[in-house]
Amino acid sequence: MSTLAPLRLLREPSNASEGNHSNATVGAGGGWCQGLDIPNELFLALGLVSLVENLLVVAAILKNRNLHSPTYYFICCLAVSDMLVSISNLVKMLFMLLLEHGVLVMRPSIVRHMDSVIDTLICSSVVSSLSFLGVIAVDRYITIFYALRYHSIMTLQRAVVTMASVWLASTVSSTVLITYYRSNTILLCLIGFFLFMLVLMLVLYIHMFALARHHLHSISSQQKPPTAHRGGSLKGAVTLTILLGVFFICWGPFFFHLILIVTCPTNPFCACFFSYFNLFLILIICNSVIDPLIYAFRSQELRRTLREVVTCSW
């Protein structure tokens, strides 16, 4: 799947010419540096699965008044962001295929304009998706450590302001990114944002896990045998590993790709890594497929509503 500018500049750096890039890939390791040929059908299939999954999450939350709370509103926004990730990538893919096969004939200026609009939507959905992952982590932290004050801290008004701020910041930042996509400063800001979200989630979720483990230890110390403590700690550790592991595996390669663009654009081994850009896009779309399983479908109330939505029991 090829890419148009400005996302082409995220595939490989602007200061690496085609000849240098080709020689670098051959010199760095031959076959495995030729990249991974990912069929368009896989992009399409994953995009459609993600779209259906997240659409069901949004419908379930809107349908059930019991789910009309800040926590589920944040999950709903994450689902909308993930839907936009899938939709924007699907539109991008179809747009390029139509142009490449001559089905869609447009003036170059219109193509560039349409490309910039689609890229802005892609970047905005990626930034908002990352942002709401962080917001959900903060919301869960407040739920656990300030349970008695949660409703006074996370009021509906503050939740609305938070959601509006995330969407506005995502739109503005993505517009700036697409406008100044040749600037390493912009890429560094995007990398810094990812690292901030990664550290934020690591700190909050590990702290939450430590508190849950302490509570389980306190309970099990009053019981014999203390099996509940071991089982609960194992379950918590597995949940934490899945949550942070999925985040790092799905988002890490793409942002490591951006780091290499800034730090070693002409290095042969970095050029080798650039050739796997489509794989990194697939991982981001996979994250949109996995997010509902982690954040939404684990709720019994939401699963019940989801069954009603699927069976059209409105």
Side-chain angles (χ1 to χ4, degrees):
M1 189 175 90
S2 60
T3 51
L4 298 171
L7 281 192
R8 188 190 295 123
L9 270 295
L10 298 183
R11 170 188 288 268
E12 59 187 57
S14 57
N15 57 350
S17 66
E18 284 296 324
N20 291 337
H21 179 265
S22 176
N23 293 335
T25 31
V26 171
W32 73 276
C33 285
Q34 299 304 315
L36 190 63
D37 186 19
I38 299 177
N40 292 325
E41 290 78 10
L42 182 58
F43 279 93
L44 182 62
L46 287 175
L48 290 176
V49 171
S50 172
L51 177 62
V52 171
E53 267 190 337
N54 288 287
L55 191 60
L56 288 174
V57 171
V58 173
I61 292 175
L62 293 178
K63 178 183 185 298
N64 190 342
R65 289 186 177 274
N66 294 331
L67 302 178
H68 291 184
S69 65
T71 297
Y72 284 101
Y73 286 149
F74 295 146
I75 292 176
C76 183
C77 285
L78 176 63
V80 172
S81 298
D82 286 340
M83 273 198 303
L84 290 177
V85 170
S86 302
I87 292 173
S88 55
N89 276 285
L90 286 173
V91 171
K92 181 83 174 181
M93 182 190 71
L94 292 174
F95 183 62
M96 289 187 297
L97 288 176
L98 290 176
L99 286 175
E100 289 172 0
H101 290 83
V103 178
L104 186 64
V105 179
M106 304 173 70
R107 288 185 299 177
S109 59
I110 298 179
V111 172
R112 287 193 298 270
H113 179 71
M114 289 291 296
D115 188 44
S116 295
V117 170
I118 297 173
D119 286 344
T120 301
L121 180 60
I122 292 175
C123 293
S124 179
S125 58
V126 166
V127 172
S128 62
S129 182
L130 278 172
S131 299
F132 281 115
L133 287 173
V135 169
I136 290 172
V138 173
D139 180 71
R140 288 184 170 183
Y141 186 85
I142 296 173
T143 302
I144 291 177
F145 285 90
Y146 303 94
L148 298 178
R149 296 173 50 202
Y150 175 80
H151 293 290
S152 61
I153 296 174
M154 189 58 68
T155 62
L156 182 60
Q157 182 179 7
R158 286 175 179 168
V160 171
V161 170
T162 299
M163 291 183 288
S165 300
V166 169
W167 287 116
L168 179 61
S170 300
T171 303
V172 172
S173 61
S174 61
T175 303
V176 172
L177 173 63
I178 296 305
T179 303
Y180 301 101
Y181 63 91
R182 293 181 183 273
S183 171
N184 280 347
T185 304
I186 297 298
L187 292 183
L188 286 173
C189 290
L190 189 59
I191 293 167
F193 171 69
F194 167 75
L195 293 177
F196 171 75
M197 284 299 168
L198 178 60
V199 171
L200 177 68
M201 293 179 67
L202 276 171
V203 171
L204 294 184
Y205 281 118
I206 290 176
H207 195 190
M208 284 185 274
F209 170 70
L211 178 67
R213 191 172 183 275
H214 175 72
H215 283 176
L216 284 171
H217 178 73
S218 300
I219 294 172
S220 65
S221 63
Q222 304 172 14
Q223 300 174 349
K224 295 181 180 180
T227 55
H229 167 56
R230 292 195 295 269
S233 295
L234 179 60
K235 182 179 179 182
V238 169
T239 301
L240 181 66
T241 302
I242 292 175
L243 195 150
L244 295 177
V246 166
F247 177 81
F248 187 78
I249 291 172
C250 291
W251 290 99
F254 175 77
F255 282 93
F256 184 63
H257 175 96
L258 297 186
I259 292 173
L260 294 184
I261 285 180
V262 174
T263 58
C264 58
T266 58
N267 184 281
F269 293 99
C270 294
C272 220
F273 196 81
F274 298 153
S275 64
Y276 288 87
F277 183 74
N278 282 341
L279 176 61
F280 310 148
L281 291 182
I282 282 289
L283 289 176
I284 291 178
I285 299 176
C286 285
N287 183 79
S288 299
V289 175
I290 298 171
D291 275 347
L293 304 177
I294 296 177
Y295 295 95
F297 294 157
R298 296 180 65 187
S299 166
Q300 185 176 357
E301 180 77 11
L302 195 145
R303 288 201 306 271
R304 182 183 62 81
T305 308
L306 192 61
R307 285 193 294 270
E308 296 176 0
V309 170
V310 173
T311 57
C312 300
S313 303
W314 287 82

